[in-house]
Amino acid sequence: MLLPWIPDDALPLIFAGLMGLALLLYGLLDGLDLGVGVLMRRAGNDDKDMMIASIGPFWDANETWLVLGIGLLLVAFPGAHGIILGELYVPVAVLLAGLIMRGVASDFRVKAKADHKPAWNGVFYLGSLLASLAQGYMLGHYLMDFADTWTAHLFAAFIGLCFLAGYALIGACWLIMKTEGALRQQAVRWGRGALWLTAAGIAAISLATPLVSERIAERWFSLPNLYFLLPVPVLTGAVVLLLDRVLARMAGEQEERLSWVPFAGTVTLFVLASGGLAYSLFPYLLLDRMTVWEAAASPDSLRFVLVGALIVLPVILAYTAYSYRVFWGKAEPLTYR
């Protein structure tokens, strides 16, 4: 038997952790790519090239984390996979269409004639927009337990807009680190504009989840759980205020010393929000309906897949870290030979 020292009951927990890690890293890494793509609509032609240059070495590989996360859901939790993706069929199709549009536009914008390039820039923007909105809608609809009501759909649509703002925020903060001059200052303004809608989305999810689930409400507000959970919203609020102050200070300035702070703060904000949501939902994959143990594949299947995951995951982490290390520093103008 493979990995015999791991208890059967621990295997679903391990895979839930790996899936959560993959989706978090996707949100951070491909989120900044999507954010840059969404912000391209507001930039001039020269700035568009620089924005693409800032994500060019990374964006294609960043989508690996989405494939890994969905793949783990499929093979490790088949009981939940069919229900979740079945309920989210339409937004998943929109997400895939957006990602395909981004991939096609990225290649064709550098090969097309000069007068066709703006059209492919538009396709790249539209693909980024659709992918961002679809992901937010999927999360909102999931948290509403896939309820087919106007209230649930409106909530999901609002979370889609907030997701779009969140990706624009992390994309803008990435550009603050990677670019200089007028584009960098424009990125500061974009970041300030996206921050509060991102915070509104986090607040909306925080308010909605205990209203939808009595179990979550009891977990949040019963003692001593309240004392353990309280630091998460307090720290989240503090990070939002810190980001607002730092971005306000950077407006009109070219000081490079603080250029990493907005990006680090946004990453911290994403991690806190994801951690709070994971705490609320655990141990359910379907809200109050199916736990990770009920949805999991057989222990033998999980052990077999875990061996592969333990080989693949370090490789993905290593080449991701290596690529960011190699291409660290300011982005350079695009050149094609």
Side-chain angles (χ1 to χ4, degrees):
M1 183 172 63
L2 296 171
L3 307 176
W5 62 87
I6 301 178
D8 288 354
D9 288 344
L11 289 167
L13 296 178
I14 294 172
F15 275 95
L18 291 176
M19 186 175 69
L21 175 64
L23 294 178
L24 173 60
L25 288 174
Y26 171 77
L28 292 173
L29 299 177
D30 202 46
L32 69 89
D33 299 338
L34 290 168
V36 170
V38 167
L39 293 171
M40 279 180 62
R41 185 179 66 86
R42 303 182 180 184
N45 289 331
D46 292 339
D47 287 342
K48 285 183 173 68
D49 284 342
M50 185 59 72
M51 292 168 75
I52 291 293
S54 74
I55 61 174
F58 317 108
W59 78 270
D60 207 15
N62 288 341
E63 293 177 357
T64 305
W65 295 106
L66 179 63
V67 176
L68 179 62
I70 300 301
L72 288 175
L73 175 64
L74 170 63
V75 299
F77 303 106
H81 173 269
I83 297 174
I84 293 174
L85 293 189
E87 293 285 353
L88 298 176
Y89 180 84
V90 173
V92 167
V94 173
L95 168 63
L96 293 177
L99 295 178
I100 291 170
M101 291 169 67
R102 280 166 49 85
V104 171
S106 177
D107 285 338
F108 276 81
R109 70 181 299 277
V110 301
K111 299 174 183 177
K113 296 180 180 180
D115 55 342
H116 294 167
K117 187 174 179 180
W120 288 114
N121 285 337
V123 173
F124 191 84
Y125 158 74
L126 183 58
S128 301
L129 180 71
L130 291 176
S132 301
L133 290 173
Q135 290 178 42
Y137 185 91
M138 289 163 62
L139 176 61
H141 199 41
Y142 170 80
L143 293 176
M144 291 291 103
D145 199 23
F146 311 118
D148 190 16
T149 65
W150 280 108
T151 302
H153 289 299
L154 287 173
F155 175 80
F158 177 71
I159 298 304
L161 290 174
C162 295
F163 241 69
L164 179 65
Y167 284 162
L169 173 62
I170 195 169
C173 293
W174 175 256
L175 291 174
I176 291 171
M177 283 200 310
K178 298 291 287 184
T179 62
E180 299 174 305
L183 178 56
R184 180 177 183 270
Q185 292 310 113
Q186 183 64 42
V188 172
R189 292 189 288 271
W190 288 334
R192 295 190 70 189
L195 174 61
W196 290 103
L197 184 53
T198 304
I202 295 173
I205 292 173
S206 300
L207 291 173
T209 45
L211 294 176
V212 172
S213 170
E214 293 182 3
R215 177 190 61 84
I216 294 177
E218 182 178 357
R219 171 173 286 187
W220 280 28
F221 301 115
S222 63
L223 297 178
N225 291 345
L226 179 62
Y227 299 133
F228 296 118
L229 185 63
L230 190 59
V232 175
V234 171
L235 287 173
T236 301
V239 171
V240 170
L241 292 176
L242 174 63
L243 280 170
D244 183 64
R245 293 290 300 274
V246 170
L247 290 172
R249 178 177 175 179
M250 296 179 73
E253 298 181 3
Q254 291 289 342
E255 184 179 2
E256 289 293 336
R257 185 171 55 89
L258 297 177
S259 63
W260 62 274
V261 175
F263 186 77
T266 303
V267 170
T268 303
L269 188 64
F270 276 42
V271 171
L272 287 171
S274 300
L277 183 60
Y279 173 83
S280 299
L281 296 176
F282 183 81
Y284 289 88
L285 280 179
L286 290 171
L287 194 65
D288 297 346
R289 284 195 284 159
M290 184 182 292
T291 67
V292 294
W293 294 281
E294 294 169 337
S298 68
D300 288 341
S301 297
L302 292 179
R303 283 190 168 86
F304 179 79
V305 175
L306 184 57
V307 172
L310 293 177
I311 296 172
V312 171
L313 186 61
V315 173
I316 300 176
L317 286 170
Y319 80 63
T320 299
Y322 180 74
S323 64
Y324 277 85
R325 175 66 182 86
V326 169
F327 294 101
W328 197 248
K330 296 296 182 181
E332 298 179 0
L334 290 172
T335 56
Y336 301 100
R337 298 177 182 176

